[in-house]
Amino acid sequence: MGKRIVVVGTQWGDEGKGKITDYLALDADVVVRSQGGNNAGHTINFNNQKFALHFIPSGVFNPQTKNIMANGMVIEPIALFREIDELASRGITNYQLYISDRAHCIMPYHLELDSLWEDIKGSSAVGTTKKGIGPAYADKASRIGIRLADLLDPESLMDGLKTGLAMTNPILECFHHQTYDLQDLYQKYLSFGKRLKPYITDTSVLLNAEIEKGSKILFEGAQGIMLCVEHGTYPYVTSSSPTAASVPMNCGISPMAITDVIGITKAYTTRVGSGSFPTEFEDDTAKYIREKGHEYGTTTGRPRRIGWLDTVALRHAKRVSGITELSVMLLDVLTGIPQIKICTQYELDGEIIDRVPSNYRQFSQCKPVYVTLPGWKENITNIHRFDELPINAQNYLKAIENYTGLPIAIFSIGPDRTQTIALKAFFK
Ligand code: IMP
């Protein structure tokens, strides 16, 4: 039987999932994106080229791999076409892409509403990527969304647009935002449907057939568990669930189908957008990490906020998402920092706690309890084995295993595919 591995981000996104997915995708028959949309930005470096994927799964660089965008995703056709065209302009055309007919369409009014909601929230704005993600998922839950299958059926599209606009235009008008014309959208989205048609299919049927065949399948997570709408730092979260538990529902497969869950974590923590995180700090060391780790958003270019590794959050991620092993990214970025901290617990109102409070106000009052480990100075970007790491770097990784109770299966020492040290075989 081929393994079915889920890759999940354990922090607030941007953990380096794209790199690990790309690495594992070399051996996978199928790569699947199951939730989110182009709020994600997965960076892949190989052959001295850098690619940023937002919608398209990271298996597109291998012509033999099937790439699936599953039903749990929300898809903005114009941005997707831009991504397809950008890949084509760099010679990447020979790939297999399948998009679920049940995936929801991000409409232009969702983009408008995303900005509007943020404006109304003012100082408590989420700091969204403004890609229309929240409003598209809200329409899905309100049963007024438009699915990709509707773009292939003129009557369904017309019905969907009529309802969508009847609900949305009055709100936009009320806040003096641009409203949308039914006929105009209808023509545009019919033509988008024509371009998307070759890709659109029932991906649940396809995926179940692959499982039946024993294919090796990789589920590429987007965002991170601390951004989960259920288990994250609500309301400063995204609108879908990036946990491994959400994968079966978002793909139309059995919950028993998942065999392994790899949690991806940076060797430190970052966050973009609003919402506190206990280990955040801003000093020269944070600046050093931001510059060395190129900690600027792939999707929005915003500088990322920097913090030490938070193992309370990692244990939370492990519990709610059934993580079986860790991949520690960007270890090389910490080289040259004399003292490295790891958060082991929080202090809240004078009490030591070992969990992430559900109440956001309480979460923002949590103070990290740290252990401090000595750093290392040696360049680690060219090593090939764990025991070639300086002893302090080895001890840092061992401390992460100790505080999370999870084995480290991979660590990464630079942006290139070759700078990935796997301590076990995955799809073998
Ligand atoms: P939305 O997903 O655009 O609604 O944004 C909600 C929150 O999730 C914001 O704080 C975003 O910065 C954050 N977010 C969404 N997607 C990603 C991602 O892929 N990486 C990091 N942060 C993300």
Side-chain angles (χ1 to χ4, degrees):
M1 179 194 79
K3 285 199 167 181
R4 283 136 356 211
I5 302 175
V6 179
V7 167
V8 291
T10 58
Q11 300 168 307
W12 280 274
D14 309 319
E15 295 91 352
K17 295 177 293 291
K19 183 184 181 196
I20 293 305
T21 310
D22 169 61
Y23 177 79
L24 296 173
L26 297 172
D27 294 319
D29 302 308
V30 186
V31 180
V32 189
R33 265 286 303 272
S34 60
Q35 44 73 228
N38 55 338
N39 47 351
H42 292 171
T43 311
I44 292 162
N45 292 273
F46 69 95
N47 292 345
N48 294 321
Q49 289 202 75
K50 185 172 172 176
F51 294 89
L53 298 174
H54 298 279
F55 282 117
I56 297 180
S58 303
V60 281
F61 303 104
N62 181 354
Q64 271 77 50
T65 309
K66 290 191 172 75
N67 291 277
I68 295 180
M69 293 166 60
N71 54 278
M73 286 190 77
V74 285
I75 295 164
E76 205 275 280
I78 301 171
L80 175 61
F81 296 149
R82 213 179 300 129
E83 202 166 315
I84 290 173
D85 293 343
E86 161 76 15
L87 284 174
S89 74
R90 298 174 68 184
I92 311 287
T93 50
N94 188 15
Y95 54 82
Q96 304 180 51
L97 180 64
Y98 304 89
I99 309 178
S100 170
D101 45 9
R102 287 177 171 80
H104 276 247
C105 205
I106 302 175
M107 303 300 290
Y109 47 84
H110 293 140
L111 298 167
E112 204 71 28
L113 285 172
D114 202 349
S115 293
L116 175 59
W117 292 356
E118 287 285 271
D119 289 347
I120 293 171
K121 285 178 187 159
S123 61
S124 24
V126 176
T128 73
T129 59
K130 305 236 172 110
K131 303 289 180 193
I133 306 294
Y137 278 117
D139 276 7
K140 173 179 177 173
S142 303
R143 292 143 300 171
I144 56 167
I146 292 173
R147 305 208 286 192
L148 291 199
D150 300 329
L151 304 188
L152 307 183
D153 178 51
E155 272 180 49
S156 306
L157 177 61
M158 181 50 93
D159 285 351
L161 282 173
K162 272 187 188 157
T163 315
L165 290 181
M167 308 281 273
T168 311
N169 269 342
I171 299 171
L172 292 174
E173 206 168 355
C174 176
F175 285 94
H176 312 292
H177 273 238
Q178 172 195 354
T179 56
Y180 289 87
D181 178 67
L182 178 66
Q183 276 306 327
D184 183 44
L185 281 190
Y186 176 69
Q187 294 305 335
K188 245 188 216 152
Y189 281 76
L190 265 189
S191 76
F192 293 163
K194 287 202 179 93
R195 182 163 176 196
L196 286 169
K197 194 165 187 239
Y199 304 109
I200 297 178
T201 187
D202 186 332
T203 52
S204 162
V205 172
L206 177 66
L207 209 41
N208 277 281
E210 291 294 330
I211 292 171
E212 191 95 339
K213 262 192 344 204
S215 298
K216 298 176 232 167
I217 305 177
L218 187 62
F219 298 91
E220 170 177 14
Q223 291 85 48
I225 286 166
M226 300 306 279
L227 288 171
C228 173
V229 68
E230 295 289 336
H231 298 289
T233 48
Y234 192 90
Y236 296 98
V237 293
T238 190
S239 299
S240 65
S241 173
T243 61
S246 80
V247 168
M249 183 185 75
N250 285 328
C251 296
I253 59 169
S254 161
M256 317 305 280
I258 309 298
T259 57
D260 302 69
V261 184
I262 307 177
I264 315 294
T265 176
K266 280 180 177 163
Y268 46 93
T269 306
T270 62
R271 181 166 196 177
V272 277
S274 313
S276 46
F277 70 104
T279 64
E280 181 176 15
F281 64 100
E282 185 57 64
D283 61 10
D284 286 348
T285 304
K287 285 192 191 104
Y288 176 85
I289 291 175
R290 184 175 299 115
E291 294 314 314
K292 203 163 166 209
H294 309 291
E295 294 296 357
Y296 294 88
T298 315
T299 301
T300 58
R302 293 178 287 182
R304 295 181 185 140
R305 298 152 59 201
I306 308 291
W308 297 114
L309 190 72
D310 180 347
T311 61
V312 184
L314 289 185
R315 290 192 297 272
H316 176 82
K318 171 187 170 187
R319 190 177 64 253
V320 302
S321 196
I323 292 166
T324 52
E325 55 219 325
L326 282 180
S327 173
V328 178
M329 312 303 289
L330 294 134
L331 187 63
D332 54 300
V333 172
L334 297 183
T335 300
I337 298 176
Q339 307 269 303
I340 302 173
K341 292 184 183 179
I342 296 180
C343 167
T344 58
Q345 285 165 314
Y346 298 152
E347 188 203 312
L348 176 64
D349 296 332
E351 204 188 314
I352 299 296
I353 62 165
D354 199 14
R355 60 185 172 81
V356 176
S358 56
N359 176 282
Y360 186 73
R361 203 183 50 76
Q362 285 185 352
F363 178 67
S364 54
Q365 286 167 0
C366 284
K367 303 263 175 301
V369 176
Y370 285 122
V371 290
T372 302
L373 279 78
W376 59 92
K377 288 192 183 127
E378 300 87 336
N379 174 13
I380 60 170
T381 57
N382 297 316
I383 65 134
H384 299 98
R385 291 196 321 265
F386 177 82
D387 59 12
E388 286 173 1
L389 282 173
I391 197 74
N392 287 352
Q394 291 188 22
N395 286 340
Y396 185 65
L397 292 183
K398 283 182 190 160
I400 297 173
E401 289 190 323
N402 180 33
Y403 287 114
T404 59
L406 286 169
I408 292 174
I410 306 178
F411 65 94
S412 169
I413 44 156
D416 200 77
R417 234 184 217 176
T418 55
Q419 294 170 302
T420 313
I421 316 288
L423 305 176
K424 62 176 258 193
F426 285 90
F427 275 119
K428 303 288 181 270

